[in-house]
Structures are given as C-alpha cells and as structure tokens.
Amino acid sequence: MSQKVIGLIGGMSWESSTEYYRIINQTVRARLGGLRSARCLMWSFDFGEIEALQHAGRWDDAAAEMVAAAQRLERGGADFVVICTNTMHRMADQVEAAIKLPLLHIADPTAERIKAAGFGKVGLLGTAFTMEQDFYRGRLADRHGLAVLVPEDDDRALVHRVIYEELVQGRVEPSSRQAYRGVIARLVERGAEAVILGCTEIMLLVGPEDSAVPLFDTTAIHAEAAVDLALAETAPG
C-alpha cells in the first residue's frame, strides 16, 4: 500500500510536534504492520520567533510565515498540510488559500469525534487566543453545531500561563496538573459534557484520570486523522 505524503507545519512547539511524529508513525505501523512508517515532511519553526509575533498581535506577519511554510511543503512534495498547533489555525484560511493542497483543519476531526460520542456541549482549554477568539470556537459552533464553554477569566489566564511558561518549555509540574483539574471541574459544573484539550501541549500534562468527563486530545485526534487521509484511496504498492 502506498501512502500520501503528510506535510507537517511544526515547531509550535517542538514538544508537541514530537508527539505528532510519534503518533503518526505508530498509527501507520499499527495499521500496515511490520516495518511500515509514515511518509512525511516537516517544516519546524523557531517557536521563539512565532511566540513573539503572537503576543505582539502581529498576526499578519505570523500568517505570512505560515503561508511560506506551507508553500515549502508544497514544493517539497507534500500531498496535504497539517498545522501542528491549535492556535495557528487562526490563519488556516489564509494558508489554505495560498496553496493548491488540502489543509486538514484540527477542529474538524475533533468535532466529528465529539459528535460521534454523542456530546453536544463541550469545554475548551487552550491558549488565550484559542479560548477567546472566534476562529476556533466559531468553527466548532457554526460548522459542527457544538455549544462551547470556555473557562472564566482567572482560569483562562492560568491555562494560558502554564502553556507558555511550562509546557512549551518541556516542564510538567504536578501543581499545574492539580490546577488544571480544578479548571476542568469548574467547566463540568457549568454543564460541559466533555472537554477539548485545545492546545497540542496540554496532553503532556493531563489525561483521562484528571477529569470526570471524557477528554478529547486534539493532538492525537489530528495526528490519527492525518493517517486516515494519508492511507485513504491508496493503491497497492
């Protein structure tokens, strides 16, 4: 069986990009067996440069960087593009418009998995950009009919701080895991039937044992969806 080439835009942060690479290759091996692994390309950013653009609100400059990365992958022979971060899907439409390749949007397989499990009201954890801006919540609501809850102000600040000050730097602190448990519990109290781990690093910190409701890990869901697309409609080879 031949495979499509997965084009990965990574490095935001590399901590989560390594998880994409691991999950994609493990999933291909599980499905195809033996010594099989994924055909993929990755463009990996220097996240310090991207983070500076994010927090300065320079989204047009960040979009230009993302478009350039996608075009590099297109020239390199990728068959479709995966942005290995939730936050930078803020410019997914701009990236998709600049290339001839399909873009596998992280929110879509996540929403499909949630709906298949029978849930309609979900909590969302992520960076402040993901939780507060409409590019992500709006897609979940408008395209998929999900009701989305985000944490209150103080909890959003906590979730954001832990991502940027700890998780993207490879730090996994027990005190932060306990704090995230509290944030999740408060979302559940407000009616969340499930919770989206809407930042690709959060899966490094919390797991099913930290929540009274199901958690939907966007990193794993997105990576597995990439394999589905890479292996779809392929000829023996």
Side-chain angles (χ1 to χ4, degrees):
M1 175 182 286
S2 61
Q3 303 179 52
K4 297 182 180 72
V5 177
I6 305 170
L8 301 161
I9 303 179
M12 301 172 288
S13 67
W14 69 259
E15 299 283 349
S16 60
S17 298
T18 60
E19 295 300 314
Y20 269 88
Y21 189 77
R22 178 184 63 80
I23 294 166
I24 286 170
N25 280 287
Q26 287 181 342
T27 303
V28 169
R29 183 169 61 191
R31 294 188 189 180
L32 301 185
L35 300 178
R36 302 301 296 272
S37 58
R39 300 176 67 204
C40 62
L41 299 170
M42 179 180 284
W43 170 261
S44 189
F45 279 105
D46 175 351
F47 186 52
E49 297 174 356
I50 296 298
E51 184 273 339
L53 296 177
Q54 290 175 343
H55 284 94
R58 294 171 56 189
W59 294 107
D60 288 344
D61 292 335
E65 294 288 343
M66 294 290 289
V67 165
Q71 290 172 337
R72 288 185 182 98
L73 293 172
E74 185 172 40
R75 292 195 300 270
D79 291 305
F80 63 95
V81 171
V82 173
I83 300 173
C84 301
T85 160
N86 288 272
T87 298
M88 298 304 278
H89 278 75
R90 188 183 194 278
M91 57 279 298
D93 290 345
Q94 293 157 277
V95 171
E96 193 167 26
I99 57 176
K100 297 182 178 66
L101 307 178
L103 186 145
L104 179 61
H105 196 292
I106 196 168
D108 295 338
T110 299
E112 293 300 333
R113 191 81 66 92
I114 290 166
K115 290 187 292 184
F119 301 120
K121 190 172 187 178
V122 294
L124 174 63
L125 301 181
T127 66
F129 313 114
T130 298
M131 292 186 289
E132 295 171 3
Q133 297 176 14
D134 194 52
F135 69 92
Y136 199 92
R137 293 186 303 170
R139 193 177 185 101
L140 293 172
D142 298 341
R143 294 203 179 199
H144 300 283
L146 295 175
V148 182
L149 298 172
V150 297
E152 301 291 355
D153 291 357
D154 289 349
D155 281 349
R156 291 202 306 274
L158 166 76
V159 170
H160 183 87
R161 180 190 62 76
V162 168
I163 291 168
Y164 279 94
E165 295 182 8
E166 298 175 15
L167 299 181
V168 300
Q169 299 181 43
R171 291 173 51 204
V172 178
E173 303 289 350
S175 61
S176 295
R177 177 176 290 115
Q178 190 62 36
Y180 266 52
R181 286 174 177 167
V183 174
I184 291 168
R186 286 185 284 278
L187 286 170
V188 173
E189 288 171 3
R190 291 169 52 205
E193 301 164 344
V195 172
I196 298 171
L197 304 185
C199 174
T200 51
E201 285 84 15
I202 295 177
M203 54 92 75
L204 303 172
L205 183 66
V206 297
E209 67 279 5
D210 298 305
S211 174
V213 298
L215 299 178
F216 287 83
D217 171 16
T218 54
T219 305
I221 292 169
H222 202 202
E224 290 164 6
V227 175
D228 290 340
L229 186 53
L231 299 184
E233 301 176 5
T234 54

